[in-house]
Amino acid sequence: MTALAWIEERARSGRLRPLDAALAQLVAAHTDADDERVWWMLAVSHQSGQGHVCLDLPAAQRLFDDDCPWPRPQALPDPDGDIVGIPGDTALLIRDGERLYLARDWQAEAQVLWAIRARLPWRTLPGGVLAQHAAALFPAGHGDGLDWQKVAAMHGVLRPFAVITGGPGTGKTWTVARLLALRLLTARALDPHASLPRIRLAAPTGKAAARLTESLQASLAELALPEDIRAALPSEAVTLHRLLGIGRDGRPRHNAQHPLLVDQVVVDEASMVDLGLMTQLLRALPADAGVCLVGDRDQLASVEAGAVLADLCRLATGAYSPDYAARLAAEGLPVPAAAQRPEQDLVVRLTRVHRFGERSGIAELATALREQDDTALAALRQAPPADLGWLPAQRPEVLQQALAALRPVVQVAAEGADPAAVLAAFGRFRVLCALRRGPWGVEQFNQELVRALRQGGLAAGEWYPGRAVLLTRNDWALGLFNGDAGITVRDPADGSLKVAFATLDGAVRLVAPVRLPSHEEAWAMTIHKSQGSEFEQVLVVLPDQDSPLLTRELLYTAVTRARRRLQVAGPAGLLAQAARREVQRQSGLAERLLRD
């Protein structure tokens, strides 16, 4: 089989993207099909499709099967100035040290680096002002020892580029509310006659933006603030696409030529933001605008290439440079010092859990997965706390547990309850599947749940009160997007069937079923689709045997979707196996930030 035939066969079978094949064929047209640079273009493009920003030699040597027509590479390709170049060249591929990039990905990473470096200098504040306002916003004794939430808020004011990371229940949103108030109060102290900073809040998805809006409003309501400060606080979070004005063609309305009118941007659920979207955001900001990324570094990374939050969190070691420590110490916070570079001062990690009780199984399981603690995982299975339950990999029992939670929701919808009440009931519980296909995948599980509802007389016809759907395509005209979940209700106005969706402002939107874009059943959803959401109760369904798709990040994300009650269905020992399998996305961001 020729090299091009091999590429075409793999593209037809779905093992390569059409884009991968097209780029390799483009290089072959300018060289020769057997040229090793064809293979390198194919390999780098394929890695990009898998979420990696670049490719190094060890990863390249593991790619593809033994029937690959090219020999295993022994070294990265030498730059030729045309197909393979070095930084500054206009080649298709860029070799930077021991990494090989698609030119667009190298440029995107370089722009993120430039934006961060431009924001490394500290803000100048009058002495003692930050500590004075922080003391009023953070109650005495809130933290045991050093109050890292207070540190994080002060950190976000002092640093024009800041990262706050932490697991579920560590108070990230609570801290952000005080960070925003602190930013405005210190700006007013710096210049009482100047306009207050313009602040925008954003998240990668509509679900995450709505949850941030709700949580932030509750946290801000606790604060006693002057009226002008309260008026300057943002009232809602929006999606990054809406903030940037990204249209159907993928092009943002706001860019370097038409920047956002903003002085501070806070991005929640930043683990979901890929390199391309982060680049678009940073391009659209004025040079003096502050950026604060907030998220959980241990969750699943973005669907597209890059893991910016995780890359930046890898720089953090838990200690701070002497300059950073001195600044915070001057404000009354004795942060330990260590001789480090200023780039490593970007991140503050919150570790103390406030949401759960002292013996929370959800929190303990999340910690055990994050730390790959087999002993803790085994102990939690043998003696689970009240909020954690285990089910064997036996289909009847798993379906029974799911139906016990779903039937009341369908019944409420069938009785013609108010759409907002039905939506609220729908949002309290979800089945999360690790896989899409197969006996324990989301497609099969949804089919069996719907079949059981029909047999119980709760579902008749294609559309019925209580049918839950998940959109799989965008509809810009309707303002509905891939990943939005809704439930079928009776329209109070005329009794017709409509699908209810929650809007970002907390209202309910009713849409006729015939107008919906492509969709699927939504009683069960994949763990990937659940990112940015939280539910009162979650049932996680694992396959009956190990799979390469089961990773520590996937399971951690599933566990941290639950607020009050978590059940896990799957074989004993599977969590420990999966916890040892980590997703490592290749990127040069952290290394280049320290090197360049």
Side-chain angles (χ1 to χ4, degrees):
M1 182 183 294
T2 66
L4 289 182
W6 180 84
I7 292 173
E8 291 169 357
E9 187 278 327
R10 293 182 77 92
R12 282 194 302 270
S13 66
R15 289 178 290 173
L16 287 175
R17 298 179 301 167
L19 176 62
D20 304 333
L23 289 173
Q25 290 163 348
L26 174 66
V27 175
H30 288 80
T31 56
D32 181 85
D34 295 323
D35 192 301
E36 70 162 1
R37 291 172 294 179
V38 177
W39 186 91
W40 283 110
M41 173 57 80
L42 182 72
V44 176
S45 179
H46 173 74
Q47 284 290 88
S48 179
Q50 300 300 307
H52 301 283
V53 177
C54 56
L55 177 67
D56 61 18
L57 182 61
Q61 292 174 332
R62 296 190 297 267
L63 284 180
F64 307 132
D65 304 324
D66 292 335
D67 66 347
C68 179
W70 288 274
R72 293 290 178 191
Q74 300 304 308
L76 291 180
D78 293 325
D80 55 37
D82 181 17
I83 294 171
V84 181
I86 60 174
D89 289 345
T90 57
L92 297 174
L93 297 172
I94 299 296
R95 179 173 174 178
D96 188 346
E98 296 305 311
R99 294 185 176 90
L100 194 63
Y101 294 77
L102 291 175
R104 67 176 189 195
D105 289 339
W106 186 92
Q107 186 61 37
E109 194 173 85
Q111 290 178 341
V112 170
L113 285 164
W114 179 87
I116 293 173
R117 285 202 163 278
R119 291 171 171 82
L120 283 180
W122 296 82
R123 289 194 178 103
T124 302
L125 298 174
V129 168
L130 189 60
Q132 173 189 344
H133 290 296
L137 293 171
F138 289 84
H142 176 73
D144 296 331
L146 186 62
D147 187 347
W148 282 102
Q149 289 181 315
K150 188 175 182 180
V151 171
M154 298 172 77
H155 169 89
V157 174
L158 287 169
R159 302 229 63 144
F161 192 99
V163 177
I164 300 174
T165 186
T170 53
K172 295 187 294 294
T173 306
W174 188 93
T175 301
V176 166
R178 284 149 180 81
L179 185 159
L180 299 180
L182 199 57
R183 176 86 164 89
L184 294 171
L185 289 166
T186 52
R188 172 55 47 85
L190 185 63
D191 188 345
H193 305 293
S195 299
L196 288 169
R198 297 160 296 182
I199 301 173
R200 299 296 301 273
L201 302 174
T205 67
K207 292 177 293 184
R211 189 157 60 86
L212 175 61
T213 298
E214 180 183 4
S215 300
L216 197 65
Q217 287 176 346
S219 294
L220 290 173
E222 303 172 356
L223 302 179
L225 298 170
E227 285 305 314
D228 61 335
I229 298 295
R230 188 171 295 281
L233 289 165
S235 60
E236 69 169 356
V238 300
T239 64
L240 282 167
H241 282 71
R242 179 177 164 190
L243 177 68
L244 297 173
I246 296 177
R248 301 184 189 189
D249 59 0
R251 296 180 180 177
R253 183 169 66 251
H254 294 288
N255 50 37
Q257 289 71 44
H258 304 283
L260 289 160
L261 299 177
V262 65
D263 300 298
Q264 177 78 46
V265 171
V266 177
V267 180
D268 196 25
E269 295 287 357
S271 63
M272 299 168 63
V273 182
D274 60 79
L275 178 64
L277 187 56
M278 185 67 71
T279 304
Q280 288 182 317
L281 171 65
L282 295 175
R283 280 178 186 160
L285 294 179
D288 58 352
V291 180
C292 183
L293 305 182
V294 183
D296 188 344
R297 61 172 290 177
D298 296 300
Q299 285 188 24
L300 282 167
S302 58
V303 175
E304 302 297 330
V308 177
L309 182 74
D311 286 339
L312 294 176
C313 287
R314 274 196 286 273
L315 294 170
T317 61
Y320 295 86
S321 67
D323 181 39
Y324 186 78
R327 285 174 182 268
L328 289 183
E331 300 292 348
L333 289 171
V335 179
Q340 297 180 38
R341 293 170 57 107
E343 293 87 346
Q344 294 177 292
D345 290 339
L346 294 174
V347 181
V348 170
R349 183 179 180 188
L350 304 178
T351 58
R352 186 187 178 202
V353 177
H354 302 270
R355 178 191 304 164
F356 306 109
E358 293 182 1
R359 181 80 166 92
S360 164
I362 298 172
E364 289 187 25
L365 181 55
T367 300
L369 286 170
R370 186 176 62 242
E371 298 178 357
Q372 301 177 334
D373 188 337
D374 291 358
T375 302
L377 289 172
L380 285 169
R381 192 168 191 107
Q382 291 170 4
D387 62 342
L388 179 61
W390 303 93
L391 294 172
Q394 296 177 4
R395 200 165 211 84
E397 292 187 32
V398 179
L399 285 169
Q400 183 179 2
Q401 287 291 325
L403 288 167
L406 297 179
R407 284 193 185 100
V409 181
V410 181
Q411 288 170 344
V412 166
E415 292 166 359
D418 180 75
V422 179
L423 259 179
F426 174 52
R428 294 190 188 106
F429 173 80
R430 198 73 85 246
V431 177
L432 302 183
C433 295
L435 307 179
R436 170 160 289 279
R437 297 180 176 85
W440 294 92
V442 70
E443 293 176 353
Q444 181 70 23
F445 211 78
N446 268 320
Q447 289 176 12
E448 296 189 26
L449 288 172
V450 173
R451 186 182 304 120
L453 291 172
R454 292 187 188 283
Q455 291 171 349
L458 292 173
E462 181 182 5
W463 291 96
Y464 53 88
R467 184 189 177 190
V469 296
L470 183 74
L471 303 187
T472 56
R473 291 187 60 185
N474 297 332
D475 189 316
W476 291 85
L478 289 176
L480 297 174
F481 301 99
N482 182 11
D484 288 349
I487 187 166
T488 310
V489 299
R490 293 284 183 191
D491 189 337
D494 57 16
S496 62
L497 290 178
K498 299 286 178 64
V499 182
F501 294 91
T503 63
L504 287 179
D505 59 2
V508 177
R509 184 175 185 188
L510 300 180
V511 180
V514 294
R515 298 191 65 195
L516 291 181
S518 177
H519 53 271
E520 61 189 23
E521 304 293 339
W523 292 123
M525 62 197 304
T526 62
I527 296 170
H528 279 86
K529 286 285 188 180
S530 74
Q531 281 188 277
S533 300
E534 284 187 349
F535 310 97
E536 292 293 315
Q537 300 181 58
V538 168
L539 169 58
V540 177
V541 177
L542 304 178
D544 55 2
Q545 56 187 348
D546 196 17
S547 164
L549 298 177
L550 294 179
T551 64
R552 179 181 66 82
E553 293 83 359
L554 184 79
L555 298 183
Y556 177 87
T557 299
V559 167
T560 55
R561 297 312 87 201
R563 285 195 294 258
R564 296 287 179 263
R565 172 73 174 161
L566 172 71
Q567 289 182 295
V568 181
L574 191 58
L575 281 178
Q577 286 179 267
R580 290 189 287 270
R581 186 181 295 116
E582 292 187 284
V583 176
Q584 294 290 342
R585 288 200 167 178
Q586 292 193 317
S587 162
L589 184 63
E591 180 184 303
R592 290 175 67 186
L593 187 59
L594 295 176
R595 182 196 71 194
D596 293 350

